[in-house]
Amino acid sequence: MGYGKPKDVAAVKSQPLIVVLKDEEPSQLKKLAKKPDELADYKAYIADYNVKMQELAPKLWHFSPSVEFRHATDLPALRKVKGPQRSVLQHLDFVLSQRHSMSGPSVAGAMNNYYYTSEQISAVVVEVLGNGDQHQVWRVQIAPGPIYTSDLIFTIKTLQQYLQGRADGRSGSDMRAELVKNGPKLRTKTLLFDEEDIKGQLTAADIKQAYPFPYQVVPRATIEAAVADADTRYACVRLLPVAAGITAQVVIDAADGALLGMSLPNRVRVMGIGGGSAIGKGNLKDFAQAASVR
C-alpha cells in the first residue's frame, strides 16, 4: 500500500491541487511529421485528455480545498519556488498507439465515445514540489491497452481514498483489511461484464456456475455510463498492474471506485480488448469468493 509521508499528505490537503495539463512535445511532433494519421491521433489525444481532466478533476477531487490547472511546461518554474511545497497531479509515461471509436450510444457527450491504447504502463501520480525538490506521494498505475474515462474516474477516486486513509493515520494493513470487508458489497451489486471480455470465453451457463450473483453482459458504453453516473447499482471489472509483469483483474464499485474483489493470476497478458481483458471461470470464482466473505 505504500506510505505517503504525513507532511506530504498534509501539503496535498492544505492547499489547491495543481492538475497538470499535457503539452504537445516537439520531439513527438517531429517524429510524426510524415505520418499524418498518427500525428492527428497524437494531437487529438493531448487535446482530449486536457478536456477530460478539466471536466473531471473539479467535480471529483475533494481532498484539497480546490483545483487549479497548469501545463507541464510550468513545472520547472514551480519546482524552484521557495516556501510551502505545492501538490500536483499528472499522468506520466503514456505512449500513444492508436485512437479507437467506441460503439454504443453517446455517454455524457462525445468525449466518452472513444478510448486510446498505450504501449506501456502509465500512472496518475500525486507529487509535491517546490524549494528545488519534487517527489511522489502516491500513484495509481494504469495497465497497457484501453484507457477509458472510467479509468481516470477510478484513479482520481482511488488516490483520494489512499490520501484520506493516510491522513486518518491508517496503515497499509488497515487498508488491506478494509478491502476484504468491502467484498460482501458485491452481492448487492449487478456486476457488469464488457461483452468483448466474455466473447468466445464464457457461456451464460459458465458464468452462472462460477458466479452465482447478479450480472449483465453489456457494451462498453453501458459500463462507462454507470461509472460516469456513479450508479450505486453496479460494479465492473478493470485491469490493475500490481507488480512488474503482473496485472490483476479487480472489481470496482461504480459508485465510489472502491475495490470489491480481485483476481490475481501469475501473469495476465494484456490483449488490448475491452476493459478487463479476457475473463475466465477462474476470475469469476475469485470474484464470487470475495463476495461470499463473511
Side-chain angles (χ1 to χ4, degrees):
M1 295 297 296
Y3 294 97
K5 294 180 180 179
K7 68 180 182 65
D8 293 337
V9 173
V12 179
K13 190 175 180 63
S14 66
Q15 53 191 317
L17 176 77
I18 297 172
V19 176
V20 179
L21 301 177
K22 292 182 180 293
D23 298 304
E24 294 178 357
E25 298 182 11
S27 60
Q28 281 293 100
L29 296 177
K30 182 178 180 180
K31 179 180 177 181
L32 301 175
K34 296 182 180 180
K35 301 176 181 179
D37 291 342
E38 293 182 35
L39 179 62
D41 274 351
Y42 174 71
K43 287 177 170 287
Y45 161 66
I46 297 295
D48 293 339
Y49 173 85
N50 289 346
V51 168
K52 279 186 181 181
M53 292 306 290
Q54 287 173 308
E55 176 190 345
L56 294 174
K59 180 169 64 175
L60 299 177
W61 190 270
H62 308 298
F63 187 76
S64 308
S66 61
V67 170
E68 300 175 358
F69 294 95
R70 303 289 288 268
H71 279 267
T73 50
D74 297 328
L75 290 185
L78 289 172
R79 194 178 298 116
K80 296 176 183 178
V81 173
K82 303 293 184 181
Q85 290 190 312
R86 299 294 305 274
S87 59
V88 300
L89 180 150
Q90 61 179 323
H91 182 208
L92 298 175
D93 298 326
F94 183 84
V95 177
L96 180 66
S97 176
Q98 191 174 354
R99 190 187 198 209
H100 307 267
S101 297
M102 187 168 63
S103 60
S106 177
V107 182
M111 64 176 288
N112 289 319
N113 265 6
Y114 61 85
Y115 62 90
Y116 290 88
T117 52
S118 66
E119 297 170 350
Q120 65 187 54
I121 291 173
S122 60
V124 177
V125 182
V126 173
E127 301 171 294
V128 293
L129 77 170
N131 300 314
D133 181 38
Q134 181 173 349
H135 58 274
Q136 185 180 133
V137 182
W138 188 236
R139 71 180 184 186
V140 175
Q141 295 186 155
I142 300 175
I147 299 178
Y148 297 104
T149 301
S150 59
D151 291 309
L152 296 178
I153 293 172
F154 165 78
T155 298
I156 292 171
K157 290 180 176 180
T158 300
L159 283 166
Q160 291 176 96
Q161 290 167 7
Y162 172 80
L163 291 168
Q164 188 60 58
R166 295 300 296 143
D168 293 340
R170 297 201 295 275
S171 67
S173 60
D174 292 332
M175 294 184 193
R176 287 191 291 272
E178 290 172 11
L179 295 183
V180 174
K181 291 180 181 179
N182 284 341
K185 294 180 183 178
L186 186 52
R187 296 197 297 266
T188 70
K189 309 280 183 178
T190 296
L191 181 54
L192 301 179
F193 295 119
D194 187 322
E195 59 189 6
E196 293 297 324
D197 297 341
I198 299 296
K199 185 184 297 182
Q201 300 291 325
L202 298 168
T203 66
D206 291 332
I207 298 175
K208 185 176 181 180
Q209 181 184 34
Y211 187 79
F213 304 109
Y215 77 91
Q216 293 178 18
V217 179
V218 298
R220 167 51 55 174
T222 301
I223 296 173
E224 292 299 299
V227 176
D229 295 339
D231 197 318
T232 58
R233 296 173 294 174
Y234 299 115
C236 57
V237 181
R238 75 184 296 271
L239 290 179
L240 183 67
V242 293
I246 301 178
T247 303
Q249 290 183 355
V250 296
V251 176
I252 63 170
D253 191 330
D256 59 9
L259 269 65
L260 305 180
M262 175 180 289
S263 182
L264 184 59
N266 291 329
R267 291 285 191 274
V268 172
R269 181 173 178 267
V270 179
M271 303 300 293
I273 61 173
S277 193
I279 295 173
K281 284 186 179 181
N283 304 125
L284 296 179
K285 290 178 180 178
D286 288 343
F287 302 152
Q289 182 178 9
S292 300
V293 171
R294 296 185 183 279

